CSV table of all heavy atoms in Angstrom, one decimal:
chain,number,residue,atom,x,y,z
A,1,TYR,N,-2.5,0.3,-10.5
A,1,TYR,CA,-2.5,-1.2,-10.4
A,1,TYR,C,-1.3,-1.7,-9.6
A,1,TYR,O,-0.2,-1.1,-9.6
A,1,TYR,CB,-2.5,-1.8,-11.8
A,1,TYR,CG,-3.7,-1.4,-12.6
A,1,TYR,CD1,-3.5,-0.4,-13.6
A,1,TYR,CD2,-4.9,-2.0,-12.5
A,1,TYR,CE1,-4.5,0.0,-14.4
A,1,TYR,CE2,-6.0,-1.6,-13.3
A,1,TYR,CZ,-5.8,-0.6,-14.3
A,1,TYR,OH,-6.8,-0.2,-15.1
A,2,LEU,N,-1.5,-2.8,-9.0
A,2,LEU,CA,-0.4,-3.6,-8.4
A,2,LEU,C,-0.5,-5.0,-8.9
A,2,LEU,O,-1.4,-5.7,-8.4
A,2,LEU,CB,-0.4,-3.5,-6.8
A,2,LEU,CG,0.8,-4.1,-6.2
A,2,LEU,CD1,2.0,-3.3,-6.4
A,2,LEU,CD2,0.5,-4.3,-4.7
A,3,GLN,N,0.4,-5.4,-9.8
A,3,GLN,CA,0.4,-6.7,-10.3
A,3,GLN,C,1.3,-7.5,-9.3
A,3,GLN,O,2.5,-7.2,-9.1
A,3,GLN,CB,1.0,-6.8,-11.7
A,3,GLN,CG,1.2,-8.2,-12.3
A,3,GLN,CD,-0.1,-8.9,-12.5
A,3,GLN,OE1,-1.1,-8.3,-13.0
A,3,GLN,NE2,-0.2,-10.1,-12.1
A,4,MET,N,0.8,-8.6,-8.8
A,4,MET,CA,1.5,-9.4,-7.8
A,4,MET,C,1.7,-10.8,-8.3
A,4,MET,O,0.7,-11.5,-8.6
A,4,MET,CB,0.7,-9.4,-6.5
A,4,MET,CG,0.4,-8.0,-5.9
A,4,MET,SD,-0.3,-8.1,-4.3
A,4,MET,CE,-1.9,-8.9,-4.6
A,5,ASN,N,2.9,-11.2,-8.6
A,5,ASN,CA,3.3,-12.5,-9.1
A,5,ASN,C,4.1,-13.3,-8.0
A,5,ASN,O,4.6,-12.7,-7.1
A,5,ASN,CB,4.1,-12.4,-10.3
A,5,ASN,CG,3.3,-11.7,-11.5
A,5,ASN,OD1,2.1,-11.8,-11.6
A,5,ASN,ND2,4.1,-11.0,-12.3
A,6,SER,N,4.1,-14.6,-8.2
A,6,SER,CA,4.9,-15.5,-7.3
A,6,SER,C,4.5,-15.2,-5.9
A,6,SER,O,5.4,-15.1,-5.0
A,6,SER,CB,6.4,-15.3,-7.6
A,6,SER,OG,6.8,-15.5,-8.9
A,7,LEU,N,3.3,-15.2,-5.6
A,7,LEU,CA,2.8,-14.8,-4.3
A,7,LEU,C,3.2,-15.9,-3.3
A,7,LEU,O,3.2,-17.1,-3.6
A,7,LEU,CB,1.3,-14.7,-4.3
A,7,LEU,CG,0.9,-13.3,-4.9
A,7,LEU,CD1,-0.6,-13.3,-5.3
A,7,LEU,CD2,1.1,-12.2,-3.9
A,8,LYS,N,3.5,-15.4,-2.1
A,8,LYS,CA,3.9,-16.3,-1.0
A,8,LYS,C,2.9,-16.2,0.2
A,8,LYS,O,2.2,-15.1,0.3
A,8,LYS,CB,5.3,-15.9,-0.5
A,8,LYS,CG,6.3,-15.8,-1.5
A,8,LYS,CD,7.6,-15.2,-1.0
A,8,LYS,CE,8.7,-15.2,-2.0
A,8,LYS,NZ,10.0,-14.6,-1.5
A,9,PRO,N,2.8,-17.1,1.1
A,9,PRO,CA,1.9,-17.0,2.2
A,9,PRO,C,2.2,-15.8,3.0
A,9,PRO,O,1.2,-15.2,3.6
A,9,PRO,CB,2.2,-18.3,3.0
A,9,PRO,CG,2.6,-19.3,2.0
A,9,PRO,CD,3.4,-18.5,1.0
A,10,GLU,N,3.4,-15.3,3.1
A,10,GLU,CA,3.7,-14.1,3.9
A,10,GLU,C,3.3,-12.8,3.2
A,10,GLU,O,3.4,-11.7,3.8
A,10,GLU,CB,5.2,-14.0,4.2
A,10,GLU,CG,6.1,-14.2,3.0
A,10,GLU,CD,6.6,-15.6,2.8
A,10,GLU,OE1,5.8,-16.6,3.0
A,10,GLU,OE2,7.8,-15.8,2.5
A,11,ASP,N,2.7,-12.9,2.0
A,11,ASP,CA,2.1,-11.8,1.4
A,11,ASP,C,0.7,-11.6,1.8
A,11,ASP,O,0.0,-10.6,1.5
A,11,ASP,CB,2.1,-11.9,-0.2
A,11,ASP,CG,3.5,-11.9,-0.7
A,11,ASP,OD1,4.4,-11.1,-0.3
A,11,ASP,OD2,3.8,-12.7,-1.6
A,12,THR,N,0.2,-12.5,2.6
A,12,THR,CA,-1.2,-12.4,3.1
A,12,THR,C,-1.4,-11.2,4.0
A,12,THR,O,-0.6,-11.0,4.9
A,12,THR,CB,-1.6,-13.7,3.9
A,12,THR,OG1,-1.6,-14.8,3.0
A,12,THR,CG2,-3.0,-13.5,4.5
A,13,ALA,N,-2.3,-10.3,3.6
A,13,ALA,CA,-2.5,-9.1,4.3
A,13,ALA,C,-3.7,-8.3,3.7
A,13,ALA,O,-4.3,-8.7,2.7
A,13,ALA,CB,-1.3,-8.2,4.2
A,14,VAL,N,-4.2,-7.3,4.4
A,14,VAL,CA,-5.1,-6.3,3.8
A,14,VAL,C,-4.2,-5.3,3.1
A,14,VAL,O,-3.3,-4.7,3.7
A,14,VAL,CB,-6.0,-5.6,4.8
A,14,VAL,CG1,-6.9,-4.6,4.2
A,14,VAL,CG2,-6.8,-6.7,5.6
A,15,TYR,N,-4.5,-5.1,1.8
A,15,TYR,CA,-3.8,-4.2,1.0
A,15,TYR,C,-4.6,-2.9,0.8
A,15,TYR,O,-5.8,-2.9,0.5
A,15,TYR,CB,-3.5,-4.8,-0.4
A,15,TYR,CG,-2.4,-5.8,-0.3
A,15,TYR,CD1,-2.5,-7.0,0.3
A,15,TYR,CD2,-1.1,-5.5,-0.9
A,15,TYR,CE1,-1.5,-8.0,0.4
A,15,TYR,CE2,-0.1,-6.4,-0.8
A,15,TYR,CZ,-0.3,-7.6,-0.2
A,15,TYR,OH,0.7,-8.6,-0.1
A,16,TYR,N,-3.9,-1.8,1.0
A,16,TYR,CA,-4.5,-0.5,0.9
A,16,TYR,C,-3.8,0.4,-0.2
A,16,TYR,O,-2.5,0.3,-0.3
A,16,TYR,CB,-4.4,0.3,2.2
A,16,TYR,CG,-5.0,-0.3,3.4
A,16,TYR,CD1,-4.4,-1.3,4.2
A,16,TYR,CD2,-6.3,0.0,3.7
A,16,TYR,CE1,-5.0,-1.9,5.3
A,16,TYR,CE2,-6.9,-0.6,4.8
A,16,TYR,CZ,-6.3,-1.5,5.6
A,16,TYR,OH,-6.9,-2.1,6.7
A,17,CYS,N,-4.5,1.1,-0.9
A,17,CYS,CA,-3.8,2.2,-1.7
A,17,CYS,C,-4.0,3.5,-1.0
A,17,CYS,O,-5.0,3.7,-0.3
A,17,CYS,CB,-4.3,2.2,-3.2
A,17,CYS,SG,-6.0,2.9,-3.4
A,18,ALA,N,-3.1,4.4,-1.2
A,18,ALA,CA,-3.1,5.6,-0.5
A,18,ALA,C,-2.4,6.7,-1.3
A,18,ALA,O,-1.6,6.4,-2.2
A,18,ALA,CB,-2.4,5.5,0.8
A,19,ALA,N,-2.9,8.0,-1.1
A,19,ALA,CA,-2.3,9.1,-1.9
A,19,ALA,C,-1.6,10.0,-0.9
A,19,ALA,O,-2.1,10.3,0.2
A,19,ALA,CB,-3.4,9.8,-2.6
A,20,ALA,N,-0.5,10.5,-1.3
A,20,ALA,CA,0.3,11.4,-0.5
A,20,ALA,C,0.3,12.8,-1.2
A,20,ALA,O,0.4,12.9,-2.4
A,20,ALA,CB,1.8,11.0,-0.4
A,21,ARG,N,0.1,13.9,-0.4
A,21,ARG,CA,0.1,15.2,-1.0
A,21,ARG,C,1.5,15.6,-1.3
A,21,ARG,O,2.1,16.6,-0.8
A,21,ARG,CB,-0.5,16.2,0.0
A,21,ARG,CG,-2.0,16.3,0.0
A,21,ARG,CD,-2.5,17.5,0.8
A,21,ARG,NE,-3.4,17.1,1.7
A,21,ARG,CZ,-3.2,17.0,3.1
A,21,ARG,NH1,-2.0,17.4,3.5
A,21,ARG,NH2,-4.1,16.6,3.9
A,22,SER,N,2.1,14.9,-2.2
A,22,SER,CA,3.5,15.1,-2.7
A,22,SER,C,3.6,14.4,-4.0
A,22,SER,O,3.1,13.3,-4.2
A,22,SER,CB,4.5,14.5,-1.7
A,22,SER,OG,5.8,14.4,-2.3
A,23,PRO,N,4.3,15.0,-5.0
A,23,PRO,CA,4.5,14.4,-6.3
A,23,PRO,C,5.5,13.2,-6.3
A,23,PRO,O,5.6,12.5,-7.3
A,23,PRO,CB,4.9,15.5,-7.2
A,23,PRO,CG,5.6,16.4,-6.3
A,23,PRO,CD,4.9,16.4,-5.0
A,24,VAL,N,6.3,13.1,-5.2
A,24,VAL,CA,7.3,12.1,-5.2
A,24,VAL,C,7.1,11.1,-4.0
A,24,VAL,O,6.4,11.5,-3.1
A,24,VAL,CB,8.7,12.7,-5.1
A,24,VAL,CG1,9.0,13.6,-6.3
A,24,VAL,CG2,8.9,13.6,-3.8
A,25,CYS,N,7.7,10.0,-4.1
A,25,CYS,CA,7.4,8.9,-3.2
A,25,CYS,C,8.4,9.0,-2.0
A,25,CYS,O,9.0,8.0,-1.6
A,25,CYS,CB,7.5,7.5,-3.8
A,25,CYS,SG,6.3,7.2,-5.0
A,26,TYR,N,8.5,10.1,-1.4
A,26,TYR,CA,9.4,10.3,-0.3
A,26,TYR,C,8.8,9.6,0.9
A,26,TYR,O,7.7,9.8,1.3
A,26,TYR,CB,9.6,11.8,0.1
A,26,TYR,CG,10.5,12.0,1.2
A,26,TYR,CD1,11.9,11.9,1.1
A,26,TYR,CD2,10.0,12.4,2.5
A,26,TYR,CE1,12.7,12.1,2.1
A,26,TYR,CE2,10.8,12.6,3.5
A,26,TYR,CZ,12.2,12.5,3.4
A,26,TYR,OH,13.0,12.7,4.4
A,27,GLY,N,9.6,8.7,1.6
A,27,GLY,CA,9.1,8.0,2.7
A,27,GLY,C,8.0,7.1,2.5
A,27,GLY,O,7.1,6.9,3.3
A,28,TYR,N,7.9,6.4,1.3
A,28,TYR,CA,6.8,5.7,0.9
A,28,TYR,C,6.5,4.4,1.8
A,28,TYR,O,5.4,3.9,1.8
A,28,TYR,CB,6.9,5.2,-0.5
A,28,TYR,CG,7.9,4.1,-0.8
A,28,TYR,CD1,7.5,2.8,-0.9
A,28,TYR,CD2,9.2,4.4,-1.0
A,28,TYR,CE1,8.4,1.8,-1.1
A,28,TYR,CE2,10.1,3.4,-1.2
A,28,TYR,CZ,9.7,2.1,-1.3
A,28,TYR,OH,10.6,1.1,-1.5
A,29,ILE,N,7.5,4.0,2.5
A,29,ILE,CA,7.3,2.8,3.4
A,29,ILE,C,6.4,3.1,4.6
A,29,ILE,O,5.7,2.3,5.0
A,29,ILE,CB,8.7,2.3,3.9
A,29,ILE,CG1,9.5,1.8,2.7
A,29,ILE,CG2,8.5,1.2,4.9
A,29,ILE,CD1,9.0,0.5,2.0
A,30,SER,N,6.5,4.4,5.0
A,30,SER,CA,5.8,4.7,6.3
A,30,SER,C,4.3,5.1,6.0
A,30,SER,O,4.0,5.9,5.0
A,30,SER,CB,6.5,5.9,6.9
A,30,SER,OG,5.7,6.4,8.0
A,31,ARG,N,3.4,4.6,6.8
A,31,ARG,CA,2.0,4.9,6.6
A,31,ARG,C,1.8,6.4,6.8
A,31,ARG,O,0.8,7.0,6.4
A,31,ARG,CB,1.2,4.1,7.6
A,31,ARG,CG,1.5,4.4,9.0
A,31,ARG,CD,0.6,3.6,10.0
A,31,ARG,NE,-0.8,3.9,9.8
A,31,ARG,CZ,-1.8,3.3,10.4
A,31,ARG,NH1,-1.6,2.3,11.2
A,31,ARG,NH2,-3.1,3.7,10.2
A,32,TYR,N,2.6,7.0,7.6
A,32,TYR,CA,2.4,8.5,7.9
A,32,TYR,C,2.8,9.4,6.8
A,32,TYR,O,2.6,10.6,6.9
A,32,TYR,CB,3.2,8.8,9.2
A,32,TYR,CG,2.8,7.9,10.4
A,32,TYR,CD1,3.7,6.9,10.8
A,32,TYR,CD2,1.6,8.1,11.0
A,32,TYR,CE1,3.3,6.1,11.9
A,32,TYR,CE2,1.2,7.3,12.0
A,32,TYR,CZ,2.1,6.3,12.5
A,32,TYR,OH,1.7,5.5,13.5
A,33,SER,N,3.3,8.8,5.7
A,33,SER,CA,3.6,9.7,4.5
A,33,SER,C,2.3,9.9,3.7
A,33,SER,O,2.4,10.7,2.7
A,33,SER,CB,4.6,9.0,3.7
A,33,SER,OG,5.8,8.8,4.4
A,34,TYR,N,1.2,9.3,4.0
A,34,TYR,CA,0.0,9.4,3.1
A,34,TYR,C,-1.1,10.1,3.8
A,34,TYR,O,-1.2,10.1,5.0
A,34,TYR,CB,-0.4,7.9,2.8
A,34,TYR,CG,0.7,7.2,2.0
A,34,TYR,CD1,1.6,6.4,2.7
A,34,TYR,CD2,0.8,7.3,0.6
A,34,TYR,CE1,2.6,5.7,2.0
A,34,TYR,CE2,1.7,6.6,-0.1
A,34,TYR,CZ,2.7,5.8,0.6
A,34,TYR,OH,3.7,5.2,-0.1
A,35,ASP,N,-1.9,10.7,3.0
A,35,ASP,CA,-3.0,11.6,3.5
A,35,ASP,C,-4.4,11.1,3.2
A,35,ASP,O,-5.3,11.5,3.9
A,35,ASP,CB,-2.8,13.0,2.8
A,35,ASP,CG,-1.5,13.6,3.1
A,35,ASP,OD1,-1.2,14.0,4.3
A,35,ASP,OD2,-0.6,13.6,2.2
A,36,TYR,N,-4.5,10.2,2.2
A,36,TYR,CA,-5.8,9.7,1.8
A,36,TYR,C,-5.7,8.2,1.6
A,36,TYR,O,-4.7,7.7,1.1
A,36,TYR,CB,-6.3,10.4,0.5
A,36,TYR,CG,-6.4,11.9,0.6
A,36,TYR,CD1,-5.3,12.7,0.1
A,36,TYR,CD2,-7.5,12.5,1.1
A,36,TYR,CE1,-5.4,14.0,0.2
A,36,TYR,CE2,-7.5,13.9,1.2
A,36,TYR,CZ,-6.5,14.7,0.7
A,36,TYR,OH,-6.5,16.0,0.8
A,37,TRP,N,-6.8,7.5,2.0
A,37,TRP,CA,-6.7,6.1,2.0
A,37,TRP,C,-8.0,5.5,1.4
A,37,TRP,O,-9.1,6.0,1.5
A,37,TRP,CB,-6.7,5.6,3.5
A,37,TRP,CG,-5.4,5.9,4.2
A,37,TRP,CD1,-5.1,7.1,4.8
A,37,TRP,CD2,-4.2,5.1,4.2
A,37,TRP,NE1,-3.8,7.1,5.3
A,37,TRP,CE2,-3.3,5.9,5.0
A,37,TRP,CE3,-3.9,3.9,3.8
A,37,TRP,CZ2,-2.0,5.4,5.2
A,37,TRP,CZ3,-2.6,3.4,4.1
A,37,TRP,CH2,-1.7,4.1,4.8
A,38,GLY,N,-7.8,4.3,0.8
A,38,GLY,CA,-8.9,3.5,0.4
A,38,GLY,C,-9.3,2.6,1.5
A,38,GLY,O,-8.7,2.6,2.6
A,39,GLN,N,-10.3,1.8,1.3
A,39,GLN,CA,-10.9,1.0,2.3
A,39,GLN,C,-10.2,-0.4,2.6
A,39,GLN,O,-10.4,-1.0,3.6
A,39,GLN,CB,-12.4,0.7,2.0
A,39,GLN,CG,-12.6,-0.5,1.1
A,39,GLN,CD,-12.3,-0.2,-0.4
A,39,GLN,OE1,-11.9,1.0,-0.7
A,39,GLN,NE2,-12.4,-1.2,-1.3
A,40,GLY,N,-9.3,-0.7,1.6
A,40,GLY,CA,-8.5,-2.0,1.8
A,40,GLY,C,-9.2,-3.1,1.1
A,40,GLY,O,-10.4,-3.2,0.9
A,41,THR,N,-8.4,-4.1,0.6
A,41,THR,CA,-8.8,-5.3,0.0
A,41,THR,C,-8.0,-6.5,0.6
A,41,THR,O,-6.7,-6.4,0.7
A,41,THR,CB,-8.8,-5.2,-1.5
A,41,THR,OG1,-9.4,-6.4,-2.1
A,41,THR,CG2,-7.4,-5.1,-2.0
A,42,GLN,N,-8.6,-7.6,0.9
A,42,GLN,CA,-7.9,-8.7,1.5
A,42,GLN,C,-7.3,-9.6,0.5
A,42,GLN,O,-7.9,-9.9,-0.5
A,42,GLN,CB,-8.9,-9.6,2.3
A,42,GLN,CG,-8.3,-10.8,2.9
A,42,GLN,CD,-7.4,-10.5,4.1
A,42,GLN,OE1,-7.7,-9.7,5.0
A,42,GLN,NE2,-6.2,-11.2,4.1
A,43,VAL,N,-6.0,-9.9,0.7
A,43,VAL,CA,-5.3,-10.9,-0.1
A,43,VAL,C,-4.8,-12.0,0.8
A,43,VAL,O,-4.2,-11.8,1.8
A,43,VAL,CB,-4.1,-10.2,-0.8
A,43,VAL,CG1,-3.2,-11.2,-1.5
A,43,VAL,CG2,-4.5,-9.1,-1.8
A,44,THR,N,-5.2,-13.2,0.4
A,44,THR,CA,-4.9,-14.4,1.2
A,44,THR,C,-4.2,-15.4,0.3
A,44,THR,O,-4.7,-15.8,-0.8
A,44,THR,CB,-6.1,-15.1,1.8
A,44,THR,OG1,-6.8,-14.1,2.6
A,44,THR,CG2,-5.7,-16.3,2.6
């Protein structure tokens, strides 16, 4: 889950969950750290 509170207009985006073939969140900011993706959900 991702609980999002105090949302701001700048949080508007398509949100994706993704899985990395690693047990730790190394380089989690970069999209290239992930191997599997969901289809995304729009948050406005």
Side-chain angles (χ1 to χ4, degrees):
Y1 302 99
L2 187 68
Q3 178 67 43
M4 306 187 295
N5 298 329
S6 303
L7 282 162
K8 305 175 182 180
E10 51 263 44
D11 294 317
T12 296
V14 178
Y15 283 71
Y16 300 87
C17 73
R21 273 193 237 108
S22 166
V24 296
C25 293
Y26 180 76
Y28 73 97
I29 295 292
S30 171
R31 63 178 297 177
Y32 301 106
S33 298
Y34 299 92
D35 303 288
Y36 303 95
W37 293 87
Q39 82 285 358
T41 186
Q42 176 71 46
V43 172
T44 303

